[in-house]
Amino acid sequence: PGAAESSCPCLPLPRGRSGLQSLNALQQFVGLDYARHAGHRLHQLRRLTWGQITSSGSLASYSNYGATSVDLGAPGSGVYSTVPGGGYATYNGTSMATPHVTGAAALLKSAFPNATAAQVKQALLQSAAPTGSLSGKTVTGGRLDIAAALDQLGLLLQPNTDTPAPTNLTLWGTA
């Protein structure tokens, strides 16, 4: 365990911080609990934690990690983002990985409104794409895979049918 286990990007963010009203609404919609530290050993059923990976899939040097405390990796290095004034810039860190994970959870909940928070988390974890740099450094040893998570949640909710996950969704950045 490294220093990376001392802080954590978790869903949802703490309430009461200005500018986060829409994220607070997302938190309530998705129903995931806030945990202050990734090193917290009580692995709450409804908590989801992540570290940052680069575009090549490597664990970012500044990322959180922990084989029992960080669930998966998400893009958080060199992410193109909007900036005040209508421009764009490239940034690194939890602030860049968080929208990927929260967006994935919201997409899953939107596609499957009856899914519980635990089922959304289970689908995200079971569908993580194995990634060498995350092996032994995260619970899943993998990175966020939204398309696979949609398929996995469909299977979790309808295990005895041949009903596929929704196919009318456009996913950017999936291979």
XYZ file of all heavy atoms in Angstrom, residues 74-135:
417
model
N -9.549 4.510 -14.411
C -10.330 5.295 -15.369
C -9.427 6.368 -15.970
O -8.461 6.791 -15.338
C -11.529 5.936 -14.678
N -9.738 6.814 -17.190
C -8.901 7.838 -17.830
C -8.774 9.081 -16.962
O -9.770 9.656 -16.538
C -9.663 8.161 -19.121
C -10.491 6.950 -19.389
C -10.863 6.407 -18.028
N -7.543 9.474 -16.667
C -7.327 10.639 -15.823
C -6.051 11.371 -16.142
O -5.583 12.193 -15.369
N -5.470 11.097 -17.285
C -4.214 11.734 -17.671
C -4.335 12.257 -19.098
O -4.715 11.520 -20.008
C -3.084 10.710 -17.582
O -1.859 11.275 -17.978
N -4.036 13.522 -19.280
C -4.099 14.108 -20.614
C -5.509 14.165 -21.164
O -5.718 13.974 -22.360
N -6.482 14.435 -20.310
C -7.882 14.477 -20.732
C -8.221 15.883 -21.231
O -7.973 16.876 -20.545
C -8.826 14.073 -19.579
C -10.283 14.186 -20.000
C -8.507 12.659 -19.119
N -8.764 15.957 -22.416
C -9.153 17.207 -23.050
C -10.444 17.697 -22.410
O -11.425 16.951 -22.343
C -9.365 16.947 -24.538
C -9.260 18.136 -25.450
C -8.166 18.988 -25.418
C -10.264 18.395 -26.384
C -8.074 20.058 -26.279
C -10.170 19.463 -27.248
C -9.076 20.297 -27.192
O -8.990 21.356 -28.050
N -10.461 18.931 -21.923
C -11.608 19.439 -21.188
C -11.880 20.893 -21.534
O -10.991 21.603 -22.012
C -11.334 19.318 -19.680
O -12.442 19.756 -18.932
N -13.101 21.326 -21.283
C -13.446 22.734 -21.484
C -12.862 23.570 -20.356
O -12.631 23.080 -19.250
C -14.972 22.930 -21.515
O -15.515 22.421 -20.295
C -15.589 22.226 -22.705
N -12.623 24.842 -20.644
C -12.136 25.793 -19.644
C -12.969 27.065 -19.737
O -13.613 27.319 -20.764
C -10.635 26.115 -19.841
C -9.767 24.884 -19.606
C -10.364 26.693 -21.211
N -12.967 27.868 -18.688
C -13.715 29.120 -18.722
C -13.317 29.976 -19.926
O -12.156 30.000 -20.330
C -13.319 29.809 -17.421
C -12.928 28.690 -16.503
C -12.297 27.665 -17.410
N -14.296 30.639 -20.495
C -14.034 31.492 -21.651
C -14.253 30.786 -22.971
O -13.967 31.338 -24.031
N -14.699 29.537 -22.936
C -15.012 28.821 -24.166
C -13.854 28.080 -24.800
O -13.950 27.629 -25.932
N -12.773 27.909 -24.086
C -11.623 27.214 -24.645
C -11.522 25.770 -24.197
O -12.430 25.222 -23.568
N -10.389 25.164 -24.538
C -10.121 23.778 -24.186
C -8.698 23.660 -23.684
O -7.818 24.421 -24.081
C -10.291 22.859 -25.402
C -11.701 22.846 -25.926
C -12.104 23.749 -26.901
C -12.630 21.941 -25.431
C -13.406 23.749 -27.375
C -13.937 21.935 -25.895
C -14.316 22.839 -26.869
O -15.605 22.841 -27.331
N -8.458 22.697 -22.822
C -7.119 22.435 -22.300
C -7.037 20.964 -21.902
O -8.056 20.286 -21.777
C -6.822 23.329 -21.104
N -5.823 20.506 -21.686
C -5.586 19.133 -21.267
C -5.210 19.138 -19.795
O -4.364 19.912 -19.370
C -4.441 18.515 -22.097
O -4.807 18.590 -23.479
C -4.221 17.071 -21.736
N -5.868 18.259 -19.019
C -5.627 18.187 -17.582
C -5.412 16.750 -17.140
O -5.738 15.804 -17.850
C -6.817 18.770 -16.802
C -6.958 20.256 -16.968
C -7.926 20.784 -17.814
C -6.129 21.128 -16.282
C -8.064 22.144 -17.969
C -6.257 22.498 -16.437
C -7.224 22.999 -17.276
O -7.350 24.346 -17.437
N -4.878 16.606 -15.920
C -4.619 15.304 -15.311
C -5.268 15.246 -13.943
O -5.461 16.271 -13.304
C -3.110 15.094 -15.111
C -2.340 15.192 -16.390
O -2.750 14.679 -17.417
N -1.198 15.862 -16.344
N -5.569 14.037 -13.485
C -5.961 13.851 -12.099
C -7.358 13.312 -11.883
O -8.090 12.978 -12.810
N -7.697 13.245 -10.605
C -8.993 12.734 -10.190
C -10.127 13.520 -10.826
O -11.153 12.950 -11.193
C -9.103 12.790 -8.653
O -8.030 12.036 -8.103
C -10.417 12.216 -8.169
N -9.951 14.818 -10.960
C -10.994 15.653 -11.551
C -11.286 15.269 -12.996
O -12.354 15.576 -13.516
C -10.596 17.123 -11.495
O -10.489 17.545 -10.172
N -10.372 14.622 -13.644
C -10.584 14.176 -15.020
C -11.137 12.748 -15.060
O -11.912 12.397 -15.941
C -9.276 14.254 -15.819
C -8.731 15.667 -15.953
S -9.782 16.728 -16.967
C -10.658 17.673 -15.735
N -10.769 11.912 -14.103
C -11.264 10.535 -14.069
C -12.688 10.455 -13.509
O -13.481 9.618 -13.934
C -10.329 9.663 -13.228
N -13.007 11.329 -12.588
C -14.320 11.292 -11.944
C -15.483 11.371 -12.928
O -16.425 10.581 -12.821
C -14.416 12.393 -10.865
O -13.433 12.114 -9.864
C -15.786 12.452 -10.230
N -15.459 12.276 -13.922
C -16.585 12.308 -14.862
C -16.748 11.018 -15.671
O -17.866 10.670 -16.052
C -16.253 13.484 -15.788
C -15.281 14.310 -15.051
C -14.527 13.372 -14.153
N -15.661 10.327 -15.927
C -15.769 9.059 -16.646
C -16.542 8.036 -15.812
O -17.441 7.356 -16.306
C -14.377 8.499 -16.986
C -13.685 9.241 -18.070
N -12.878 10.317 -17.826
C -13.679 9.070 -19.411
C -12.397 10.777 -18.972
N -12.872 10.032 -19.946
N -16.193 7.924 -14.541
C -16.824 6.914 -13.682
C -18.258 7.315 -13.334
O -19.169 6.485 -13.422
C -15.989 6.676 -12.405
C -16.651 5.638 -11.513
C -14.575 6.233 -12.773
N -18.467 8.571 -12.961
C -19.832 8.992 -12.625
C -20.728 8.951 -13.848
O -21.903 8.582 -13.751
C -19.863 10.396 -12.002
O -19.276 11.340 -12.891
C -19.144 10.415 -10.664
N -20.179 9.307 -15.002
C -20.952 9.228 -16.243
C -21.318 7.798 -16.586
O -22.436 7.516 -17.028
N -20.385 6.879 -16.364
C -20.671 5.458 -16.620
C -21.775 4.964 -15.693
O -22.706 4.277 -16.132
C -19.401 4.622 -16.429
N -21.694 5.311 -14.413
C -22.723 4.881 -13.459
C -24.079 5.471 -13.830
O -25.100 4.774 -13.792
C -22.327 5.292 -12.040
N -24.092 6.743 -14.221
C -25.353 7.382 -14.612
C -25.916 6.752 -15.883
O -27.130 6.548 -15.999
C -25.136 8.879 -14.814
N -25.053 6.433 -16.833
C -25.500 5.784 -18.067
C -26.120 4.412 -17.762
O -27.183 4.073 -18.294
C -24.333 5.629 -19.043
C -24.656 4.911 -20.351
C -25.660 5.711 -21.172
C -23.372 4.693 -21.149
N -25.476 3.652 -16.898
C -26.018 2.344 -16.527
C -27.378 2.486 -15.846
O -28.315 1.754 -16.149
C -25.048 1.602 -15.609
C -23.736 1.141 -16.237
C -22.840 0.516 -15.188
C -23.980 0.180 -17.367
N -27.471 3.429 -14.923
C -28.730 3.631 -14.210
C -29.818 4.138 -15.157
O -30.982 3.757 -15.039
C -28.517 4.615 -13.057
C -29.702 4.795 -12.167
C -30.045 3.541 -11.382
C -31.172 3.846 -10.407
N -31.671 2.664 -9.743
N -29.446 4.950 -16.125
C -30.396 5.454 -17.116
C -30.887 4.327 -18.026
O -32.066 4.236 -18.342
C -29.743 6.554 -17.952
O -30.601 6.991 -18.959
N -29.976 3.455 -18.436
C -30.343 2.344 -19.315
C -31.151 1.280 -18.567
O -31.995 0.608 -19.160
C -29.088 1.707 -19.913
N -30.886 1.142 -17.266
C -31.560 0.138 -16.442
C -32.061 0.806 -15.165
O -31.452 0.678 -14.093
C -30.604 -1.011 -16.102
C -30.118 -1.764 -17.305
C -28.881 -1.478 -17.870
C -30.900 -2.750 -17.886
C -28.423 -2.165 -18.982
C -30.441 -3.451 -19.006
C -29.213 -3.152 -19.555
N -33.164 1.551 -15.243
C -33.642 2.340 -14.098
C -33.966 1.520 -12.854
O -33.955 2.061 -11.750
C -34.900 3.032 -14.617
C -35.000 2.736 -16.056
C -33.996 1.708 -16.416
N -34.250 0.241 -12.990
C -34.578 -0.586 -11.831
C -33.351 -1.191 -11.163
O -33.466 -1.874 -10.150
C -35.560 -1.691 -12.221
C -36.903 -1.125 -12.631
O -37.344 -0.113 -12.102
N -37.547 -1.762 -13.597
N -32.173 -0.950 -11.720
C -30.946 -1.492 -11.136
C -30.657 -0.799 -9.810
O -30.854 0.406 -9.668
C -29.772 -1.292 -12.086
N -30.190 -1.571 -8.853
C -29.784 -0.999 -7.574
C -28.357 -0.471 -7.692
O -27.624 -0.821 -8.627
C -29.829 -2.060 -6.458
O -28.831 -3.055 -6.737
C -31.215 -2.683 -6.341
N -27.949 0.340 -6.714
C -26.571 0.833 -6.687
C -25.587 -0.330 -6.623
O -24.553 -0.317 -7.282
C -26.373 1.776 -5.507
N -25.928 -1.355 -5.847
C -25.050 -2.522 -5.735
C -24.909 -3.233 -7.079
O -23.823 -3.702 -7.437
C -25.581 -3.485 -4.673
N -25.991 -3.322 -7.850
C -25.934 -3.963 -9.167
C -25.118 -3.133 -10.152
O -24.375 -3.684 -10.967
C -27.342 -4.204 -9.695
C -28.080 -5.286 -8.949
C -29.560 -5.339 -9.282
O -30.205 -4.322 -9.527
N -30.106 -6.555 -9.302
N -25.258 -1.809 -10.083
C -24.457 -0.934 -10.952
C -22.983 -1.121 -10.635
O -22.155 -1.303 -11.535
C -24.888 0.547 -10.801
C -23.890 1.478 -11.471
C -26.287 0.753 -11.368
N -22.647 -1.116 -9.355
C -21.254 -1.321 -8.960
C -20.758 -2.694 -9.420
O -19.674 -2.813 -9.983
C -21.088 -1.194 -7.447
C -19.655 -1.460 -7.005
C -19.471 -1.389 -5.513
C -18.023 -1.714 -5.156
N -17.770 -1.657 -3.721
N -21.558 -3.726 -9.191
C -21.171 -5.080 -9.591
C -20.897 -5.154 -11.089
O -19.908 -5.753 -11.526
C -22.265 -6.069 -9.190
C -21.921 -7.510 -9.507
C -23.028 -8.481 -9.092
O -24.047 -8.102 -8.524
N -22.821 -9.743 -9.385
N -21.757 -4.530 -11.884
C -21.564 -4.540 -13.337
C -20.282 -3.811 -13.723
O -19.526 -4.287 -14.583
C -22.762 -3.909 -14.034
N -20.018 -2.670 -13.096
C -18.796 -1.922 -13.403
C -17.551 -2.734 -13.042
O -16.578 -2.775 -13.802
C -18.791 -0.578 -12.671
C -19.767 0.468 -13.201
C -19.882 1.638 -12.233
C -19.360 0.946 -14.590
N -17.586 -3.396 -11.913
C -16.420 -4.168 -11.475
C -16.235 -5.441 -12.294
O -15.117 -5.769 -12.698
C -16.532 -4.509 -9.987
C -16.559 -3.315 -9.028
C -16.581 -3.804 -7.584
C -15.406 -2.376 -9.272
N -17.315 -6.158 -12.558
C -17.202 -7.411 -13.304
C -16.836 -7.195 -14.770
O -16.338 -8.107 -15.414
C -18.496 -8.208 -13.204
C -18.721 -8.806 -11.835
C -20.014 -9.591 -11.725
O -20.909 -9.477 -12.548
N -20.115 -10.391 -10.678
N -17.077 -6.011 -15.280
C -16.799 -5.738 -16.683
C -15.484 -5.007 -16.906
O -15.129 -4.704 -18.044
C -17.939 -4.902 -17.276
O -17.992 -3.635 -16.636
N -14.761 -4.707 -15.850
C -13.495 -3.987 -16.001
C -12.573 -4.743 -16.955
O -12.413 -5.961 -16.847
C -12.824 -3.797 -14.644
N -12.000 -4.025 -17.901
C -11.092 -4.631 -18.884
C -9.729 -4.886 -18.231
O -9.103 -3.944 -17.738
C -10.942 -3.712 -20.085
N -9.272 -6.133 -18.212
C -7.980 -6.424 -17.593
C -6.878 -5.537 -18.178
O -6.774 -5.370 -19.395
C -7.740 -7.895 -17.946
C -9.108 -8.449 -18.197
C -9.892 -7.321 -18.798
N -6.085 -4.953 -17.282
C -5.042 -4.015 -17.684
C -3.793 -4.321 -16.863
O -3.839 -4.258 -15.627
C -5.517 -2.561 -17.435
O -6.748 -2.376 -18.134
C -4.500 -1.551 -17.904
N -2.727 -4.670 -17.542
C -1.500 -5.092 -16.871
C -1.017 -4.144 -15.787
O -0.610 -4.582 -14.711
N -1.066 -2.847 -16.044
C -0.547 -1.883 -15.074
C -1.400 -1.811 -13.811
O -0.951 -1.283 -12.794
C -0.466 -0.487 -15.700
O -1.758 0.029 -15.939
N -2.616 -2.348 -13.860
C -3.516 -2.304 -12.701
C -3.578 -3.627 -11.949
O -4.166 -3.711 -10.880
C -4.919 -1.891 -13.151
C -5.005 -0.524 -13.831
C -6.417 -0.271 -14.340
C -4.556 0.578 -12.900
N -2.948 -4.666 -12.512
C -2.927 -5.977 -11.871
C -2.204 -5.880 -10.534
O -1.067 -5.416 -10.460
C -2.222 -6.980 -12.783
O -2.187 -8.244 -12.166
